[in-house]
Amino acid sequence: MQRYTTLEAVIFDWAGTVVDFGSFAPTQVLIEVFTQVGVPVSLAEARVPMGLAKWDHIQALGRLPAVAERWQARFGRAMTDADVDALYQQFMPLQVAKVAAYSAPIPGAVDTVNLLRARGLKIGSCSGYPRVVMDQLLPLAAAAGYAPDHCVATDDLAAGGRPGPWMALDNVLALRVGDVRHCVKVDDTTPGIAEGLRAGMWTVGLSASGNAVGLTAAEWAALDPAEQAKRRAPAVAQLRQAGAHYVLDTLVELPAVLDEIERRVQAGERP
């Protein structure tokens, strides 16, 4: 098997990228928390800020015009940071309790990661989940065959999370990567793509397995090609608009793209 001689590392997101096809774990809990306080939100609304740290996600969700209007009608005022704090406190134990239900690897993801390791790549990871959730998810993923070389949670770093570059760059430091241009960031959300770009990396977006399409693996597989194309198109457009160098359905397609990036880097191209 030919090993990569230039590329050094791939840094993966978690939900919607390696585990949790359709990225359901965060959205389902957010819907439940907002419902508990009498402000219902739809699944589509809960998905809009996906990729941000969860406190930021709750705040951004509350600022969506339709949600803000419902909040105003329910409480007679706009959502405050104190409200976000309270919702976050409700969110956290529910997310910890329910992350296991959505921890299954995306089909083909573990085999793909193993192939990349065999070709000499280091495997990094980062997430919009806080550390307390990642501590629940990591052993479940390891038992299913996925154990990255490094993992950064959104509250691990004082600088913060996405769309800033800091979690991706923490992987660079921990993995002792010699050049950020030799890294590839893989994510299903626009803040995750922004993270990779700001860190100076190549970026690959995932459409079918991710937040924007928002279907389970079985639901996606049951669609005919025409319906898949219809569902895929907005997700691809969103990720490309965010600046993704490549957009794929799932990780199964990643090795071929890494081969192309390897050739481009060797030819002197930059992300």
Side-chain angles (χ1 to χ4, degrees), residues 72-91:
Q72 182 74 34
R74 173 71 175 84
F75 294 105
R77 56 173 175 76
M79 179 186 286
T80 66
D81 285 356
D83 294 323
V84 179
D85 288 339
L87 289 167
Y88 186 77
Q89 292 302 315
Q90 292 176 253
F91 171 86

mmCIF file of all heavy atoms in Angstrom, residues 72-91:
data_model
loop_
_atom_site.group_PDB
_atom_site.id
_atom_site.type_symbol
_atom_site.label_atom_id
_atom_site.label_comp_id
_atom_site.label_asym_id
_atom_site.label_seq_id
_atom_site.Cartn_x
_atom_site.Cartn_y
_atom_site.Cartn_z
ATOM 1 N N GLN A 72 -40.277 35.953 22.661
ATOM 2 C CA GLN A 72 -40.889 37.214 23.074
ATOM 3 C C GLN A 72 -42.345 37.005 23.474
ATOM 4 O O GLN A 72 -42.818 37.557 24.491
ATOM 5 C CB GLN A 72 -40.793 38.229 21.929
ATOM 6 C CG GLN A 72 -41.348 39.609 22.246
ATOM 7 C CD GLN A 72 -40.451 40.416 23.150
ATOM 8 O OE1 GLN A 72 -39.232 40.302 23.067
ATOM 9 N NE2 GLN A 72 -41.043 41.217 24.030
ATOM 10 N N ALA A 73 -43.066 36.209 22.698
ATOM 11 C CA ALA A 73 -44.476 35.944 23.005
ATOM 12 C C ALA A 73 -44.626 35.169 24.309
ATOM 13 O O ALA A 73 -45.575 35.397 25.073
ATOM 14 C CB ALA A 73 -45.116 35.173 21.849
ATOM 15 N N ARG A 74 -43.684 34.273 24.573
ATOM 16 C CA ARG A 74 -43.771 33.436 25.782
ATOM 17 C C ARG A 74 -43.366 34.201 27.031
ATOM 18 O O ARG A 74 -44.014 34.070 28.089
ATOM 19 C CB ARG A 74 -42.856 32.206 25.603
ATOM 20 C CG ARG A 74 -42.710 31.325 26.850
ATOM 21 C CD ARG A 74 -43.977 30.556 27.150
ATOM 22 N NE ARG A 74 -43.782 29.639 28.255
ATOM 23 C CZ ARG A 74 -43.871 29.979 29.550
ATOM 24 N NH1 ARG A 74 -44.171 31.223 29.884
ATOM 25 N NH2 ARG A 74 -43.675 29.067 30.491
ATOM 26 N N PHE A 75 -42.320 35.017 26.949
ATOM 27 C CA PHE A 75 -41.763 35.647 28.148
ATOM 28 C C PHE A 75 -41.907 37.168 28.178
ATOM 29 O O PHE A 75 -41.581 37.801 29.191
ATOM 30 C CB PHE A 75 -40.276 35.282 28.283
ATOM 31 C CG PHE A 75 -40.031 33.825 28.533
ATOM 32 C CD1 PHE A 75 -39.560 33.004 27.515
ATOM 33 C CD2 PHE A 75 -40.286 33.256 29.769
ATOM 34 C CE1 PHE A 75 -39.340 31.651 27.737
ATOM 35 C CE2 PHE A 75 -40.076 31.909 30.001
ATOM 36 C CZ PHE A 75 -39.596 31.102 28.977
ATOM 37 N N GLY A 76 -42.343 37.761 27.087
ATOM 38 C CA GLY A 76 -42.532 39.198 27.074
ATOM 39 C C GLY A 76 -41.234 39.988 26.972
ATOM 40 O O GLY A 76 -41.209 41.187 27.264
ATOM 41 N N ARG A 77 -40.172 39.336 26.562
ATOM 42 C CA ARG A 77 -38.867 39.991 26.422
ATOM 43 C C ARG A 77 -37.982 39.130 25.539
ATOM 44 O O ARG A 77 -38.281 37.961 25.272
ATOM 45 C CB ARG A 77 -38.194 40.178 27.793
ATOM 46 C CG ARG A 77 -38.043 38.880 28.564
ATOM 47 C CD ARG A 77 -37.237 39.017 29.834
ATOM 48 N NE ARG A 77 -37.214 37.786 30.602
ATOM 49 C CZ ARG A 77 -36.476 36.718 30.306
ATOM 50 N NH1 ARG A 77 -35.676 36.743 29.233
ATOM 51 N NH2 ARG A 77 -36.517 35.636 31.061
ATOM 52 N N ALA A 78 -36.868 39.707 25.096
ATOM 53 C CA ALA A 78 -35.906 38.959 24.292
ATOM 54 C C ALA A 78 -35.092 38.011 25.171
ATOM 55 O O ALA A 78 -34.991 38.204 26.397
ATOM 56 C CB ALA A 78 -34.973 39.930 23.569
ATOM 57 N N MET A 79 -34.537 36.989 24.565
ATOM 58 C CA MET A 79 -33.668 36.068 25.292
ATOM 59 C C MET A 79 -32.404 36.793 25.747
ATOM 60 O O MET A 79 -31.814 37.573 24.995
ATOM 61 C CB MET A 79 -33.285 34.873 24.391
ATOM 62 C CG MET A 79 -32.351 33.876 25.058
ATOM 63 S SD MET A 79 -31.783 32.583 23.918
ATOM 64 C CE MET A 79 -33.254 31.586 23.781
ATOM 65 N N THR A 80 -31.989 36.537 26.975
ATOM 66 C CA THR A 80 -30.777 37.123 27.530
ATOM 67 C C THR A 80 -29.695 36.059 27.680
ATOM 68 O O THR A 80 -29.968 34.851 27.569
ATOM 69 C CB THR A 80 -31.054 37.736 28.907
ATOM 70 O OG1 THR A 80 -31.398 36.667 29.822
ATOM 71 C CG2 THR A 80 -32.206 38.727 28.853
ATOM 72 N N ASP A 81 -28.474 36.500 27.987
ATOM 73 C CA ASP A 81 -27.398 35.544 28.247
ATOM 74 C C ASP A 81 -27.717 34.679 29.451
ATOM 75 O O ASP A 81 -27.326 33.503 29.498
ATOM 76 C CB ASP A 81 -26.075 36.278 28.461
ATOM 77 C CG ASP A 81 -25.478 36.794 27.163
ATOM 78 O OD1 ASP A 81 -26.044 36.521 26.089
ATOM 79 O OD2 ASP A 81 -24.430 37.466 27.227
ATOM 80 N N ALA A 82 -28.419 35.240 30.433
ATOM 81 C CA ALA A 82 -28.820 34.444 31.598
ATOM 82 C C ALA A 82 -29.782 33.326 31.187
ATOM 83 O O ALA A 82 -29.726 32.210 31.727
ATOM 84 C CB ALA A 82 -29.468 35.339 32.659
ATOM 85 N N ASP A 83 -30.647 33.609 30.232
ATOM 86 C CA ASP A 83 -31.542 32.568 29.706
ATOM 87 C C ASP A 83 -30.736 31.478 29.008
ATOM 88 O O ASP A 83 -31.037 30.280 29.143
ATOM 89 C CB ASP A 83 -32.545 33.169 28.720
ATOM 90 C CG ASP A 83 -33.517 34.128 29.366
ATOM 91 O OD1 ASP A 83 -33.935 33.876 30.501
ATOM 92 O OD2 ASP A 83 -33.850 35.141 28.710
ATOM 93 N N VAL A 84 -29.736 31.898 28.229
ATOM 94 C CA VAL A 84 -28.885 30.921 27.544
ATOM 95 C C VAL A 84 -28.172 30.056 28.577
ATOM 96 O O VAL A 84 -28.082 28.822 28.414
ATOM 97 C CB VAL A 84 -27.867 31.626 26.624
ATOM 98 C CG1 VAL A 84 -26.971 30.596 25.934
ATOM 99 C CG2 VAL A 84 -28.574 32.470 25.576
ATOM 100 N N ASP A 85 -27.674 30.675 29.643
ATOM 101 C CA ASP A 85 -27.027 29.910 30.717
ATOM 102 C C ASP A 85 -27.975 28.861 31.280
ATOM 103 O O ASP A 85 -27.590 27.699 31.493
ATOM 104 C CB ASP A 85 -26.584 30.843 31.851
ATOM 105 C CG ASP A 85 -25.390 31.709 31.484
ATOM 106 O OD1 ASP A 85 -24.652 31.345 30.547
ATOM 107 O OD2 ASP A 85 -25.205 32.744 32.144
ATOM 108 N N ALA A 86 -29.220 29.263 31.538
ATOM 109 C CA ALA A 86 -30.192 28.337 32.124
ATOM 110 C C ALA A 86 -30.516 27.197 31.163
ATOM 111 O O ALA A 86 -30.599 26.030 31.578
ATOM 112 C CB ALA A 86 -31.467 29.100 32.495
ATOM 113 N N LEU A 87 -30.700 27.513 29.890
ATOM 114 C CA LEU A 87 -30.968 26.471 28.892
ATOM 115 C C LEU A 87 -29.783 25.525 28.765
ATOM 116 O O LEU A 87 -29.955 24.308 28.624
ATOM 117 C CB LEU A 87 -31.293 27.102 27.548
ATOM 118 C CG LEU A 87 -32.642 27.810 27.443
ATOM 119 C CD1 LEU A 87 -32.702 28.649 26.173
ATOM 120 C CD2 LEU A 87 -33.791 26.812 27.476
ATOM 121 N N TYR A 88 -28.583 26.083 28.807
ATOM 122 C CA TYR A 88 -27.381 25.259 28.720
ATOM 123 C C TYR A 88 -27.299 24.296 29.902
ATOM 124 O O TYR A 88 -26.909 23.121 29.740
ATOM 125 C CB TYR A 88 -26.148 26.161 28.661
ATOM 126 C CG TYR A 88 -24.845 25.432 28.429
ATOM 127 C CD1 TYR A 88 -24.505 24.961 27.167
ATOM 128 C CD2 TYR A 88 -23.947 25.207 29.479
ATOM 129 C CE1 TYR A 88 -23.311 24.298 26.946
ATOM 130 C CE2 TYR A 88 -22.743 24.545 29.263
ATOM 131 C CZ TYR A 88 -22.432 24.094 27.995
ATOM 132 O OH TYR A 88 -21.242 23.431 27.780
ATOM 133 N N GLN A 89 -27.654 24.771 31.082
ATOM 134 C CA GLN A 89 -27.638 23.900 32.252
ATOM 135 C C GLN A 89 -28.651 22.767 32.127
ATOM 136 O O GLN A 89 -28.421 21.657 32.614
ATOM 137 C CB GLN A 89 -27.918 24.725 33.522
ATOM 138 C CG GLN A 89 -26.812 25.692 33.885
ATOM 139 C CD GLN A 89 -25.474 25.006 34.088
ATOM 140 O OE1 GLN A 89 -25.378 23.967 34.737
ATOM 141 N NE2 GLN A 89 -24.424 25.572 33.488
ATOM 142 N N GLN A 90 -29.772 23.025 31.471
ATOM 143 C CA GLN A 90 -30.740 21.966 31.200
ATOM 144 C C GLN A 90 -30.239 21.031 30.096
ATOM 145 O O GLN A 90 -30.473 19.821 30.145
ATOM 146 C CB GLN A 90 -32.080 22.573 30.772
ATOM 147 C CG GLN A 90 -32.821 23.324 31.851
ATOM 148 C CD GLN A 90 -34.080 23.970 31.298
ATOM 149 O OE1 GLN A 90 -34.162 25.179 31.126
ATOM 150 N NE2 GLN A 90 -35.076 23.142 31.006
ATOM 151 N N PHE A 91 -29.564 21.612 29.120
ATOM 152 C CA PHE A 91 -29.104 20.859 27.958
ATOM 153 C C PHE A 91 -28.050 19.821 28.325
ATOM 154 O O PHE A 91 -28.097 18.677 27.853
ATOM 155 C CB PHE A 91 -28.542 21.849 26.926
ATOM 156 C CG PHE A 91 -27.824 21.215 25.765
ATOM 157 C CD1 PHE A 91 -28.518 20.797 24.643
ATOM 158 C CD2 PHE A 91 -26.441 21.046 25.792
ATOM 159 C CE1 PHE A 91 -27.851 20.218 23.576
ATOM 160 C CE2 PHE A 91 -25.773 20.472 24.724
ATOM 161 C CZ PHE A 91 -26.481 20.051 23.611
#
